[in-house]
């Protein structure tokens, strides 16, 4: 019998009535938890992280947890390096092409049209070829692209396949990727002027003002995890026109503007601004656990399909043996009818049994072909590969009976399952995201208050023109005679001298050359600074959207906590059912072996009586049917026991550790070692249905 500490002993005793069980449960609750009893863990609250679980029960659990640390081979959470190749950021990330052909390993196992397949090979082929694993393999990589997207400050797409929900908190958006924006433009314009004198054209009527401008602007922006945004703009304009009123023509104007903004309420701190990154990293971990769970599920399904195929093949042998027995009896009865020592009814009865056994054999053969198709589909990508169309699978792993195996006590087994199982880890990580969303939607209830500071420095330069006029002729002013100090007219040659006014001029224009260098000198010497600081407030009056988001986040967190507790209870039920199945299936194997031996002895005794004339052909047929049924029951019991061990490993999260398979190997799809399948059991007893054949005279 299987040894189940704290569990098998109770199974060997009579079960108490339901009333007594309820009284025991009530008494246990009133007196506190007793040693050896299972106490379900409680779903983590917002302040208690899901990582706070009961400690592992054995070193095997630690190994399993280590195996679940996924190494994916590719890391799409980091973008390409932009230095020294600055163009790398603008090229597509290289993705390996999809391989849709079966792995070469399957061809190596085919010999003379037969696929010699062990359980180890079946699991290895499934990891390499199973389409369920191949599809799930992309889930962690998709999660990594969300991490890369979140690092830029963008909202992630999420992974609905793993149960991840989208963050909907209304927090001011900040881009963490630096952005460099440049613009350059040239313009020529002819502008009609309504007042040419004011505009400086100096002409009457409608005139045209010609203008030419060129602009070159560069802006750098970047956001930070604290909710701070930095913007640096350098703007340059060169302009010229036909207007005479400009001090510089052409003129070069430049300015540098530095603006810093800081969120003070909504969006303040690192959590609201880096929530996408934290959630994406959690989702990446959950995606790894999702993939690990898919691998475990596939391995369990493949191992079950393998043993079901073994059962189908062995069941064909049982039905063939039964058909051989009934055929032998029919032939013997027919010979006795020919010599006149047997009634025709006995021959008809034996012939009817042959027809029934032949029908049962056809059903068994059909089931074998169907199970072979199921197994092939699990271990191949291309089921219709020409090399596999007419292949027959020959299982090489021997069906054996495990000996007595000690099973951990139920509380320890449940703790091990909660520590190792990927689906539990996945739920824990997603529960963390629910807590993050509660906090961020609470911050989103606050008004948007932005503190900003701005500094601007300006510069101006260009070509300036100065005009100087020199008189070249004078005219006498008869109303302005020159006088001496005494007030008498100045006489030259007896004639008075009058003051002269210029009557002709020589205009000389002087151009002072300047431009970009003068502008930059004024700019960086802070000749024309501007300083500004202020607050911008956005105050929602009713704030209904934020209230709804916060309430929704809280409700989703409560639902996630309840689901997590439900999952823990489901795990406990799975573990307990798996332990019960181990005990019951082991007992059924013992009972089936005993029943087969008794059926064999009964058939042999009935055959001896029949040979002595003390029995009928019908009684021999009945005993032969009983033996066939016993053989089928024994075979079914042995398969059930092997599958019970497979399911028990799955319920505890031991499947990967038991088979020495890491998630990294499964993610690569290359197994460089033979999985360690527990096939060397104690007390091995091969199932040989040929030992129970009919012995005629």
């Amino acid at each position: 019998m299987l040894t189940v500490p704290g569990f098998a002993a109770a199974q060997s005793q009579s079960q108490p009535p339901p009333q007594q069980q309820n009284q025991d449960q009530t008494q246990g609750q009133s007196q506190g938890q007793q040693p050896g009893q299972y106490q379900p863990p409680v779903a983590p609250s917002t302040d208690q992280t899901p990582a706070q679980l009961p400690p592992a029960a054995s070193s095997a659990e630690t190994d399993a947890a280590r195996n679940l640390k996924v190494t994916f081979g590719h890391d799409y959470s980091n973008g390409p390096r932009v230095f020294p190749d600055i163009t790398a950021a603008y090229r597509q990330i290289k993705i390996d092409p999809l391989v849709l052909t079966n792995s070469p390993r399957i061809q190596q196992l085919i010999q003379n049209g037969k696929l010699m397949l062990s359980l180890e090979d079946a699991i290895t082929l499934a990891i390499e070829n199973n389409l369920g694993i191949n599809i799930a393999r992309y889930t962690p990589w998709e999660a990594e692209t969300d991490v890369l997207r979140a690092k830029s400050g963008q909202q992630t797409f999420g992974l609905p396949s793993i149960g991840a929900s989208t963050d909907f908190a209304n927090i001011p958006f900040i881009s963490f990727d630096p952005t460099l924006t440049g613009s350059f433009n040239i313009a020529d314009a002819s502008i009609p002027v309504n007042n040419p004198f004011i505009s400086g054209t100096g002409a009457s009527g409608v005139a045209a003002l010609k203008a030419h401008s060129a602009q070159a602007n560069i802006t750098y922006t970047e956001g930070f995890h604290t909710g701070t945004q930095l913007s640096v703009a350098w703007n340059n304009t060169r302009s010229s026109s036909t207007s005479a009123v400009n001090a510089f023509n052409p003129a070069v104007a430049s300015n540098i503007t530095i603006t810093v903004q800081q969120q003070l309420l909504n969006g303040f701190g690192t959590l609201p601004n880096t929530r996408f990154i934290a959630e994406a990293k959690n989702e990446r971990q959950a995606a790894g656990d999702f993939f690990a769970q898919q691998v475990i599920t596939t391995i369990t399904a493949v191992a079950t399909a393998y043993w079901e195929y073994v059962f189908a093949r062995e069941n064909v042998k049982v039905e063939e043996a039964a058909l051989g027995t009934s055929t032998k009896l029919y032939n013997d009865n027919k010979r006795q009818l020919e010599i006149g020592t047997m009634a025709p009814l006995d021959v008809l009865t034996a012939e009817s049994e042959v027809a029934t056994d032949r029908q049962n054999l056809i059903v068994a053969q059909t089931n074998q072909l169907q199970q072979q198709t199921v197994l092939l589909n699990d271990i191949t990508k291309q089921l219709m590969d020409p090399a596999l169309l007419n292949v027959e699978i020959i299982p090489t792993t021997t069906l054996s009976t495990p000996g007595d195996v000690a099973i951990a006590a139920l509380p320890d087994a449940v703790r091990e399952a909660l520590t190792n199982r990927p689906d539990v880890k996945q739920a824990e990580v997603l529960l963390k995201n629910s807590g993050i969303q509660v906090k961020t939607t609470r911050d989103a209830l606050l008004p948007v208050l932005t503190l900003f500071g701005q500094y601007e420095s300006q510069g101006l330069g260009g070509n300036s023109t100065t005009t100087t006029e020199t008189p070249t002729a004078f005219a006498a002013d008869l109303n302005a005679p020159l006088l001496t100090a005494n007030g008498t007219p100045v006489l030259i040659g007896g004639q008075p001298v009058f003051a002269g006014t210029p009557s002709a001029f020589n205009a000389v224009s002087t151009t002072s050359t300047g431009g970009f260098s003068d502008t930059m000198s004024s700019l960086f010497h802070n000749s024309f600074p501007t300083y500004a600081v202020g607050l911008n407030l956005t105050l929602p009056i009713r704030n209904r959207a934020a209230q709804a988001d916060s309430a929704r986040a809280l409700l989703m967190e409560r639902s996630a906590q309840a689901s997590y507790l439900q999952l823990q209870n489901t795990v406990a039920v799975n573990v307990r059912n798996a332990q019960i199945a181990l005990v019951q299936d082991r007992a059924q194997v013992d009972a089936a072996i005993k029943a087969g031996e008794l059926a064999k002895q009964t058939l042999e005794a009935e055959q001896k009586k029949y040979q002595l004339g003390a029995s009928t052909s019908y009684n021999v047929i009945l005993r032969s049917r009983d033996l066939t049924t016993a053989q089928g029951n024994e075979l079914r019991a042995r398969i059930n026991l092997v599958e019970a061990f497979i399911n028990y490993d799955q319920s505890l999260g031991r499947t990967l550790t038991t088979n020495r398979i890491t998630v990294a190997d499964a993610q690569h799809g290359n197994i460089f070692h033979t999985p360690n399948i527990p096939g060397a059991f104690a007390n091995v007893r091969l199932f040989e249905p040929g030992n129970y054949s009919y012995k005629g005279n």
Side-chain angles (χ1 to χ4, degrees):
M1 293 295 293
L2 291 174
T3 303
V4 187
F7 181 78
Q11 293 293 323
S12 62
Q13 301 175 0
S14 60
Q15 296 291 338
Q19 296 83 356
Q20 182 64 35
Q21 292 181 3
N22 295 336
Q23 293 176 3
D24 294 341
Q25 293 175 359
T26 306
Q27 184 177 2
Q29 295 174 357
S30 62
Q31 295 179 357
Q33 190 69 25
Q34 300 296 328
Q37 293 180 338
Y38 169 64
Q39 182 177 3
V42 180
S45 62
T46 304
D47 299 329
Q48 179 183 1
T49 61
Q52 297 174 354
L53 293 173
S58 65
S59 60
E61 299 171 4
T62 306
D63 295 337
R66 188 180 300 111
N67 288 339
L68 291 179
K69 293 182 179 179
V70 183
T71 303
F72 298 118
H74 301 278
D75 187 3
Y76 300 110
S77 61
N78 295 315
R81 295 183 178 181
V82 295
F83 295 105
D85 185 6
I86 62 175
T87 64
Y90 311 107
R91 294 196 301 269
Q92 195 175 43
I93 295 177
K94 183 179 179 181
I95 306 294
D96 293 337
L98 181 62
V99 179
L100 296 177
T101 57
N102 296 325
S103 61
R105 190 189 305 267
I106 196 170
Q107 298 290 341
Q108 300 169 2
L109 297 175
I110 298 178
Q111 301 175 7
N112 300 323
K114 299 183 183 298
L115 178 58
M116 311 303 293
L117 190 66
S118 66
L119 180 57
E120 296 90 336
D121 292 329
I123 292 177
T124 303
L125 288 172
I127 292 176
E128 294 175 348
N129 298 315
N130 185 268
L131 290 178
I133 291 181
N134 277 274
I135 294 172
R137 185 172 289 130
Y138 287 91
T139 303
W141 290 333
E142 292 173 4
E144 287 182 347
T145 62
D146 262 358
V147 175
L148 180 59
R149 181 179 177 85
K151 288 180 179 179
S152 71
Q154 297 282 345
Q155 185 177 13
T156 60
F157 292 111
L159 295 171
S161 59
I162 65 173
S165 59
T166 304
D167 192 306
F168 44 81
N170 188 16
I171 303 294
F173 170 74
I174 295 180
S175 176
F176 301 140
D177 279 355
T179 302
L180 192 63
T181 304
S183 63
F184 178 78
N185 60 77
I186 299 176
D188 278 298
S190 179
I191 306 171
V193 179
N194 188 36
N195 192 337
F197 294 99
I198 296 177
S199 63
T201 59
S204 61
V206 178
L209 178 64
K210 303 292 185 179
H212 173 81
S213 65
Q215 293 183 344
N217 304 326
I218 297 176
T219 303
Y220 175 87
T221 58
E222 183 178 0
F224 301 93
H225 293 177
T226 56
T228 307
Q229 297 184 75
L230 171 66
S231 175
V232 179
W234 182 26
N235 301 320
N236 302 276
T237 302
R238 184 185 184 278
S239 61
S240 62
S241 69
T242 57
S243 174
V245 299
N246 293 334
F248 297 100
N249 193 12
V252 178
S254 298
N255 67 76
I256 291 180
T257 303
I258 301 175
T259 304
V260 179
Q261 294 183 348
Q262 174 63 54
Q263 302 297 332
L264 299 181
L265 293 177
N266 188 346
F268 176 78
T270 57
L271 177 62
N273 298 293
T274 61
R275 67 192 188 281
F276 293 143
I277 299 177
E279 292 171 356
K281 289 182 177 180
N282 288 338
E283 289 178 8
R284 178 178 60 179
Q285 181 180 349
D289 295 327
F290 171 81
F291 175 72
Q293 182 63 30
Q294 180 64 39
V295 174
I296 291 175
T297 302
T298 301
I299 291 176
T300 302
V302 169
T304 302
Y306 184 90
W307 290 117
E308 287 297 322
Y309 178 65
V310 170
F311 168 78
R313 285 178 58 88
E314 296 299 325
N315 192 45
V316 168
K317 296 179 182 179
V318 171
E319 297 299 338
E320 288 175 345
L323 179 59
T325 300
S326 60
T327 302
K328 177 73 173 176
L329 179 62
Y330 169 70
N331 292 332
D332 290 347
N333 291 352
K334 189 176 180 181
R335 287 196 300 267
Q336 294 184 24
L337 176 63
E338 293 174 352
I339 63 177
T341 60
M342 179 165 289
L345 181 59
D346 290 337
V347 177
L348 183 61
T349 302
E351 185 178 8
S352 175
E353 182 64 17
V354 170
T356 301
D357 290 342
R358 182 174 290 111
Q359 181 182 6
N360 293 337
L361 177 60
I362 293 174
V363 173
Q365 291 172 339
T366 302
N367 184 51
Q368 176 184 345
L369 293 175
Q370 292 174 340
Q371 291 300 326
Q372 177 175 274
T373 303
V374 171
L375 183 56
L376 272 177
N377 185 58
D378 287 341
I379 63 176
T380 60
K381 292 179 184 176
Q382 291 287 348
L383 181 61
M384 300 306 296
D385 188 340
L388 301 176
L389 289 180
N390 298 316
V391 74
E392 179 186 2
I393 298 179
I394 305 298
T396 59
T397 300
T398 305
L399 176 62
S400 56
T401 302
D404 294 340
V405 178
I407 301 177
L410 182 60
D412 296 335
V414 172
R415 280 195 296 268
E416 179 182 352
L418 293 177
T419 303
N420 292 342
R421 285 183 51 152
D423 53 346
V424 177
K425 295 178 179 293
Q426 177 182 341
E428 292 171 2
V429 173
L430 296 179
L431 190 56
K432 291 181 181 179
N433 280 0
S434 298
I436 294 175
Q437 293 179 13
V438 168
K439 294 179 181 179
T440 54
T441 53
R442 182 178 58 197
D443 291 340
L445 289 169
L446 300 174
V448 178
L449 180 61
T450 306
L451 172 66
F452 73 90
Q454 189 177 77
Y455 163 76
E456 181 180 9
S457 178
Q458 302 184 58
L460 180 64
N463 294 343
S464 60
T465 301
T466 303
T467 302
T468 304
E469 294 183 348
T470 304
T472 58
F474 295 88
D477 187 0
L478 300 179
N479 296 322
L482 296 179
L483 301 177
T484 64
N486 298 326
T488 60
V490 177
L491 299 177
I492 298 178
Q495 296 296 325
V497 179
F498 296 91
T501 59
S503 59
F505 299 88
N506 183 23
V508 178
S509 298
T510 303
T511 301
S512 177
T513 304
F516 186 73
S517 60
D518 296 332
T519 302
M520 292 298 101
S521 178
S522 300
L523 192 69
F524 290 105
H525 282 85
N526 202 26
S527 300
F528 306 101
T530 300
Y531 303 95
V533 65
L535 293 170
N536 292 327
L537 176 64
T538 301
L539 185 64
I541 301 302
R542 301 186 67 178
N543 211 20
R544 288 181 287 187
Q547 289 285 345
D549 293 344
S550 178
R552 182 182 180 87
L554 285 169
L555 293 172
M556 293 176 63
E557 183 191 36
R558 300 296 187 270
S559 177
Q561 289 175 344
S563 299
Y564 180 72
L565 183 58
Q566 183 184 38
L567 176 61
Q568 290 178 324
N569 292 336
T570 301
V571 169
V573 171
N574 291 343
V575 172
R576 183 165 187 175
N577 288 339
Q579 289 186 340
I580 293 174
L582 281 176
V583 175
Q584 299 300 328
D585 290 345
R586 187 64 180 88
Q588 288 181 8
V589 169
D590 294 338
I593 292 175
K594 185 64 175 178
E597 294 174 351
L598 294 176
K600 176 185 176 183
Q601 295 174 6
T602 303
L603 176 59
E604 292 174 349
E606 196 67 36
Q607 289 172 346
K608 293 179 180 179
K609 292 171 59 179
Y610 176 72
Q611 295 171 3
L612 297 174
S615 181
T616 64
S617 175
Y618 180 73
N619 290 335
V620 175
I621 290 175
L622 291 180
R623 299 298 176 258
S624 178
R625 289 180 182 176
D626 293 341
L627 178 58
T628 301
T629 302
Q631 290 176 347
N633 291 340
E634 180 181 350
L635 176 60
R636 183 71 264 176
R638 290 177 182 274
I639 296 296
N640 288 344
L641 180 56
V642 174
E643 293 178 357
F645 274 95
I646 295 173
N647 294 331
Y648 184 61
D649 283 340
Q650 182 187 26
S651 67
L652 293 180
R654 290 179 179 176
T655 302
L656 299 179
T657 305
T658 301
N659 298 289
R660 294 193 303 118
I661 295 176
T662 64
V663 181
D665 291 337
Q667 180 68 23
H668 290 299
N670 296 319
I671 305 298
F672 300 102
H673 62 275
T674 301
N676 180 27
I677 308 300
F681 298 116
N683 300 331
V684 174
R685 180 180 184 275
L686 299 181
F687 180 74
E688 300 175 357
N691 294 338
Y692 304 151
S693 61
Y694 164 74
K695 298 178 182 179
N697 48 359

